[in-house]
């Protein structure tokens, strides 16, 4: 690593975070589970595959249009399990709370965790609470880890994409990032955009009912669609070709990105998934997705190509092609 | 709750933390797994019992005699699984890092996590990293969640203690708390005491080989031996009678506690366990414990009584008896 200190961009979901993972974490923790680089590990016990994942949520502000840190913490971990093809079942919750935090706000957060857990049909089974002195943490951080079970015959990984496969997105991109950003101190602006934060496990179950030929699933959170596609291209050592005009983006998100100088492909989502599926089942899976409330605007946005390996190309409406890179610096710290 | 804000004492492991759990968390998250109040949940899948637990570590300072936050984060979660009778197998690791944190310190922490994981024979299989801006968190917080498998015929819970059972402690109390405290800014004092932080899973396995009649296991971390005993007395609705002079305390810990005005029964441990075992197997289990490096100073310190239900009594060397209460305020914030 060139840097000797942790930078905000090391938490961005983009290039510097991948550097940190590769050059520091994987060096220390090297093992076959971690090395898959998927959002959840698949471990085996007595022939049963168990998915296991963790995420800490440090979003700021805590409450935003469409959700709050509690809903985010449940949905994020549920989604990481679902992206491994697992049925999410059990969630652990661990809080770091700053001294002086209002108990009424804590209760509000717990309520929305319970609501999200009910919708996702997961149980919160174990927990921990740490309190740090005023100034030792910013309000509240929530870690959720999750356990789920992977049904037989399901095998998804970012490393499984094959040439000719289709790439599907479940809906419009950038909603979460723009919704959170619009409520930040100092940069607040008017928007009707709500965070898309939602549990996607039922949508995924329905997709698998339609076909088991889903090769890769990932939710484009930090680092946005661009990081997710680059990860899949890298893990599978394939190219990905995306048609820009097929990617759903709400007008308001588009304008906000123009105003702020963001590429919507880099902006975080919390209720969207990317699926890489075998070409001949793509339209069947798309139909099923459109019937689910979280997949209404699903669209086939591109396909897996042989070259350029590890790269994502975007065809613009003007007939030109650009390379879609991972985010390099940090665009939106503490977006999740 | 009387309070409308979170106090440091809500993270103490003592009375206020139990209030918060009962009146806020259990109210929201109520379910049979959480309601056991054990350190790990036991969930079932296809006849296999899986233990699942989580803890966030916010210890300050990060490095102390005998260990650091990394070793603590692995051992703490390994021990929580072991205290449920499980064989710990898989660990998730999630970091919240303050911008500007030195990468060489991160590497030191990772190294000691790897060492502890090797000793405990667990794999770190999934992870997450968040970076917050300077001042948004104090250096680094680490969450570890853990998954383990509970062998057949093992059934331990704080709710299983029975009248006549013996209470065993695996060694001297208060070492971790005093070691960390001695390196705090503002209150540093000279001591040779090292933290006892250690993975106890192999010790527990050996104990179960000696006998399955172990009813309750718990590691007396935050809140010390006093909280652990009170929890067991409450969960099992029994009394506990402890003979003070049988409880191993190092001279230096004793003096430090006198100087600081602490009750050593309230001071945190990170490499000790309390076992409640059937009376007729107590000496057999004790013998096995003494052969393990983490149980050399194990001792039978008391027994389970019918009355007073939910209370812990300590017989002093002077023939008097005192009620051992849970810590009420906060003695040592950020001890783990």
């Amino acid at each position: 690593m060139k840097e000797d200190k942790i930078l905000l961009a090391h938490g961005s979901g983009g290039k510097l975070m991948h550097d940190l993972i590769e050059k520091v974490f994987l060096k220390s923790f090297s093992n076959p589970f971690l090395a898959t680089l998927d959002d959840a590990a698949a471990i085996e016990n007595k022939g049963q595959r168990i998915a296991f994942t963790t995420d800490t949520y440090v979003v700021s502000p805590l409450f935003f249009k469409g959700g709050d840190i509690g809903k985010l913490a449940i949905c994020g971990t549920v989604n990481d399990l679902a992206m491994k093809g697992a049925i999410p079942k059990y969630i652990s919750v661990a809080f770091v709370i700053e001294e002086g935090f209002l108990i009424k706000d804590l209760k509000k957060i717990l309520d929305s965790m319970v609501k999200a857990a009910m919708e996702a049909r997961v149980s919160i089974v174990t927990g921990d609470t740490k309190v740090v002195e005023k100034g030792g943490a910013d309000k509240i951080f929530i870690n959720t880890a999750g356990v789920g079970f992977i049904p037989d015959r399901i095998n998804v990984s970012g490393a499984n994409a094959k040439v000719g496969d289709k790439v599907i997105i479940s809906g419009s991109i950038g909603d979460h990032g723009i919704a959170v950003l619009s409520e930040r101190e100092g940069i607040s602006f008017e928007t009707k955009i709500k965070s898309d934060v939602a549990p996607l496990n039922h949508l995924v179950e329905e997709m698998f009912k339609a076909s088991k030929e889903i090769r890769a699933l990932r939710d484009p959170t930090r680092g946005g669609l661009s990081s997710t596609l680059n990860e899949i291209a890298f893990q599978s050592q394939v190219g990905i070709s995306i048609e820009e005009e097929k990617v759903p983006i709400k007008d308001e998100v588009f304008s906000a990105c123009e105003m702020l100088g963001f590429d919507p492909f880099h902006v975080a989502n919390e209720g969207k998934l990317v699926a890489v599926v075998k070409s001949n089942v793509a339209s069947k899976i798309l139909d099923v997705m459109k019937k689910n409330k979280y997949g209404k605007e699903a669209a086939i946005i591109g396909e897996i190509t042989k070259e350029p390996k590890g790269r994502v190309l975007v065809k613009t409406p003007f007939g030109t092609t650009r390379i879609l890179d991972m985010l390099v610096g940090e665009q939106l710290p503490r977006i999740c």
Side-chain angles (χ1 to χ4, degrees), chain A:
Chain A
M1 302 247 308
K2 270 189 316 212
E3 301 79 17
D4 63 347
K5 284 181 185 173
I6 292 289
L7 309 175
L8 275 176
H10 283 122
S12 64
K15 197 161 168 357
L16 277 180
M17 192 172 98
H18 284 81
D19 272 6
L20 179 70
I21 291 174
E22 237 174 81
K23 294 182 186 152
V24 179
F25 292 119
L26 285 185
K27 241 184 177 158
S28 295
F29 292 160
S30 158
N31 71 49
F33 304 103
L34 264 183
T36 68
L37 294 172
D38 283 329
D39 288 340
I43 56 193
E44 276 213 40
N45 181 56
K46 298 190 177 174
Q48 168 71 66
R49 284 178 303 160
I50 303 171
F52 181 31
T53 191
T54 187
D55 259 318
T56 303
Y57 298 86
V58 298
V59 68
S60 171
L62 300 173
F63 302 94
F64 45 82
K65 279 196 194 74
D68 60 29
I69 190 172
K71 185 175 183 185
L72 198 59
I74 297 297
C75 295
T77 287
V78 161
N79 292 347
D80 280 348
L81 293 171
M83 297 309 127
K84 198 73 190 170
I87 314 286
K89 292 293 268 184
Y90 302 107
I91 304 284
S92 68
V93 177
F95 300 93
V96 174
I97 311 179
E98 185 186 14
E99 181 187 13
F101 191 69
L102 292 177
I103 288 179
K104 76 171 169 48
D105 284 343
L106 179 60
K107 284 182 178 167
K108 254 170 83 177
I109 290 167
L110 297 182
D111 282 349
S112 76
M113 295 183 89
V114 169
K115 248 182 235 160
M118 282 178 65
E119 184 184 345
R121 284 182 232 132
V122 293
S123 303
I124 295 164
V125 295
T126 189
D128 178 51
T129 309
K130 294 291 187 312
V131 180
V132 299
E133 70 286 2
K134 191 109 193 136
D138 187 15
K139 300 185 184 76
I140 190 167
F141 303 147
I142 305 180
N143 177 280
T144 46
V147 167
F149 301 106
I150 305 175
D152 292 342
R153 292 176 50 218
I154 285 180
N155 185 16
V156 288
S157 168
N160 291 356
K162 291 192 176 54
V163 176
D165 286 351
K166 296 293 180 192
V167 179
I168 302 176
I169 181 105
S170 63
S172 63
I173 63 169
D175 299 8
H176 175 74
I178 296 302
V180 171
L181 200 65
S182 75
E183 308 207 21
R184 285 258 168 99
E185 259 176 84
I187 34 172
S188 67
F189 56 91
E190 280 294 323
T191 178
K192 282 180 213 138
I193 293 294
K194 281 186 194 168
S195 166
D196 57 351
V197 54
L200 300 176
N201 52 323
H202 306 311
L203 172 63
V204 171
E205 273 181 67
E206 288 158 18
M207 290 165 66
F208 276 113
K209 267 183 207 155
S211 169
K212 297 280 184 291
E213 312 254 34
I214 300 169
R215 321 262 209 197
L217 284 172
R218 189 151 295 179
D219 53 339
T221 56
R222 267 186 295 175
L225 182 57
S226 129
S227 275
T228 293
L229 293 173
N230 273 286
E231 284 164 10
I232 294 172
F234 172 78
Q235 284 181 252
S236 296
Q237 281 300 299
V238 295
I240 299 183
S241 170
I242 298 293
E243 290 181 63
E244 189 159 26
E245 56 186 349
K246 300 229 170 125
V247 179
I249 305 180
K250 291 194 173 85
D251 288 343
E252 284 210 283
V253 170
F254 193 84
S255 331
C257 283
E258 285 229 306
M259 188 177 84
L260 298 160
F262 290 164
D263 181 342
F265 281 79
H266 286 156
V267 181
N269 311 277
E270 291 290 342
K272 296 291 153 37
L273 65 82
V274 173
V276 176
V277 308
K278 204 173 165 184
S279 165
N280 62 355
V281 295
S283 64
K284 193 177 169 193
I285 290 172
L286 191 68
D287 289 346
V288 164
M289 290 176 76
K290 287 185 163 176
K291 282 179 198 143
N292 183 296
K293 68 174 165 178
Y294 298 128
K296 268 183 210 158
E297 292 163 48
I300 296 174
I301 57 170
E303 61 180 9
I304 305 298
T305 56
K306 198 168 169 212
E307 299 291 345
K309 285 189 177 47
R311 283 277 187 191
V312 182
L313 300 181
V314 174
K315 289 188 207 156
T316 70
F318 318 107
T320 58
T321 296
R322 63 178 173 114
I323 292 175
L324 185 64
D325 261 329
M326 268 196 197
L327 185 62
V328 175
E330 173 56 295
Q331 193 180 55
L332 302 168
R334 299 185 59 185
I335 207 69
C336 65

